[in-house]
Each structure stands twice: as C-alpha cells, then as structure tokens.
Amino acid sequence: MKFCMIGSRGHYPYVFQSIGKVSGISLEGVSGGCEDDPAPLVKAAGKAGFSPKVYDDWKAMLAEVSPDLVAVDGPFDKHAEMAAWALERGIHVFCEKPIALTLEDLEKVIAAQKRSGARIISMVGLRYQADFQYALQLVRAGAVGKVKMVRAQKSYRLGSRPEFFRHRATYGGTIPWVGSHAVDWILAFSGSAFHEVYATQTSEDNFNHGELEVACQCLFTMKNGVQAMASIDYLRPSAAPTHGDDRVRVAGTEGVLEVMDGKVVLIDKEGKRELSVPPAERDLFSDFANSLTGKQECLVPEWETFELTRACLLARESADTGKIIRF
C-alpha cells in the first residue's frame, strides 16, 4: 500500500500512532500542503522508520507517486479541494475534520467519492479512544436500553492560536472544528442520522482571537427521536490538569451511562458502578487502512463521515442565523 501525507496542521499524529499495524504500507511522499513547512512530517516519518520524498507541490506528489492512500491535514479551507482531487483519481483519503468548510464543498467531495468509489474518513480520533470506544460498545449492546438522550461536551484551553484560527474563512468555526468530536459522539451513541438542529455561539470575550467563537451550544433532534445536545467551548482554564474536558452522558429506558476523565460509569437496575475500561480494540488510522484491503470493516462508514460534516455545517448555519435548520 503506497501512502502519502499532505500537511501537519491538525491530527496527523493519528497516522503514526498505528501505522505499524498496517502490513505492507510504505510512506512514499510528504508535502507541507501549500505554505506549511513539511519538517514535522519528515521528523515523524523518520521516527517511524520511513524516509519519504519531500514535495513542494502536493498535486505533483500525488500524480508522481499515485498512492493508494493519502492523509490530508493541510489548511482547513483546502481540505475539500485536496480530498476531492485525490478521490477523483481513485486515491483513498484519511482527512482532517471537517472535510469541508462549506456545504457546497462537501457536495463536491461526496460527488467525487461516488464517482470513483474510493473511500474517505475524517480524523474522528476520539471515537477510537479507549473509554469512548468501550462506552459505545456497551450502549450498542443494550446497557442503557433504548437510547433517549445524549449529551456531549468538548471544553478546551484556548491558549494563543495561530492567525488562521482568527478568521472564519480559514478556520471554519468552532462548531466544525472543536464541536465535530461532540457531534460525532452524538451520531454514534444515538445510532441515527440527524433530523434538525438549533444552535447558538458567541465570539465575545475570546481573548483577542478575532472571529473565533469561544462558546457554542447545539441542540439536535435525531431521525429516530433521540434528543441530543453538544456543549462546546474554549473556556478551560490554562491551569487545568489536561488540555480538554471531554464528557458524554447517554440516558436510556434502562439506565444512564457517563464517560468522563477516562472513566465509564453505569447506573442501571443494579445500581451505580464504575466499569473497568479495557484497552481500545482498534486504532483510527490502522482501522481505516486495513479496511481498504478487505481485512475488516471500518468502525466509521462513509455515510457517517458525510453526515457528521453536514451536521456541523448546518449547526454553524443555525448559530449564524438564529434559525432551526432541518436536514
């Protein structure tokens, strides 16, 4: 399996967390992806035992190498262009989320995928984190009965963000960037596509970060009737023990399951108890890459990647307009 990488702006380390679990993969080329320095990719590749060729032009790299798979992690506003270009040429895509910053660009990616049949997944790494992966297995096995409500939280330290975070055109918004993890949990735990959304957001008191929204709330109704909420913010204090505070609460007809601080707690007819979290059974990158060879089914199918992106963009539209948006 020939593999290339474009850019290092986000979660490209997911690749190197499990590339060793992909038999026969060869990292042939890396590119900074437009104006970015490829040095982080070269360094990470070297530590993993690869010596890829470095390209200034990502299109030239893909044309010359003709890889089976490419990781796209360049400028956020270039995700859709890069992903669609690769898909049109039959190259599978492991793409930073969101895979598009506009609904129009999302449709271009979907059309390219349908025409070629090549596969795409977004970097929803927290779906694969051990505690959330185990919690999802429990819910799907009926631990809380019929799911009725899902509440997800993403809270981050803000720190001092690069200039591109300060402009909607290059950042895309806090709901699609930070919120995508919470929205992905809602999609997974509810077991349903989205029906409608009402969202709010604010960029006030954002510590001089331009247009960046510092706090957002999204209220979703799912097609199966599940009610869900995503709370998203950059208000975690700098002195907090971890960068993020990630939480999910799933309430059903037979119990409530909560994930917080790496712990999974279940309340059901037997009472309240903390469950021992086993190691994650799968990793994001290797799960996707190995699914391309037919060895296994990926935990995240194409439709969920597209549904997640659309949900984030429509939630952002609702927050921008103050309107309830129906899918």
Side-chain angles (χ1 to χ4, degrees), residues 190-205:
S190 70
S192 173
F194 296 87
H195 174 59
E196 64 183 20
V197 61
Y198 175 72
T200 62
Q201 61 190 7
T202 180
S203 57
E204 293 183 6
D205 304 306

Side-chain angles (χ1 to χ4, degrees), residues 126 129-136 259-264 277-278:
L126 296 186
Q129 190 169 291
D131 47 356
F132 291 103
Q133 192 172 144
Y134 180 52
L136 182 57
V259 185
M260 181 174 65
D261 296 330
K263 301 175 181 178
V264 175
V277 178

Side-chain angles (χ1 to χ4, degrees), residues 12 16 30 37-48 50-54:
Y12 74 94
F16 298 104
V30 298
D37 185 353
L41 293 176
V42 174
K43 182 178 180 181
K47 288 183 177 180
F50 298 98
S51 300
K53 182 178 178 180
V54 179

Side-chain angles (χ1 to χ4, degrees), residues 41-70:
L41 293 176
V42 174
K43 182 178 180 181
K47 288 183 177 180
F50 298 98
S51 300
K53 182 178 178 180
V54 179
Y55 293 81
D56 293 328
D57 187 323
W58 61 270
K59 288 184 179 179
M61 176 180 70
L62 297 185
E64 180 178 316
V65 175
S66 189
D68 302 290
L69 171 64
V70 62

Side-chain angles (χ1 to χ4, degrees), residues 67-81:
D68 302 290
L69 171 64
V70 62
V72 172
D73 195 12
F76 296 0
D77 54 311
K78 300 293 185 182
H79 288 171
E81 176 190 350

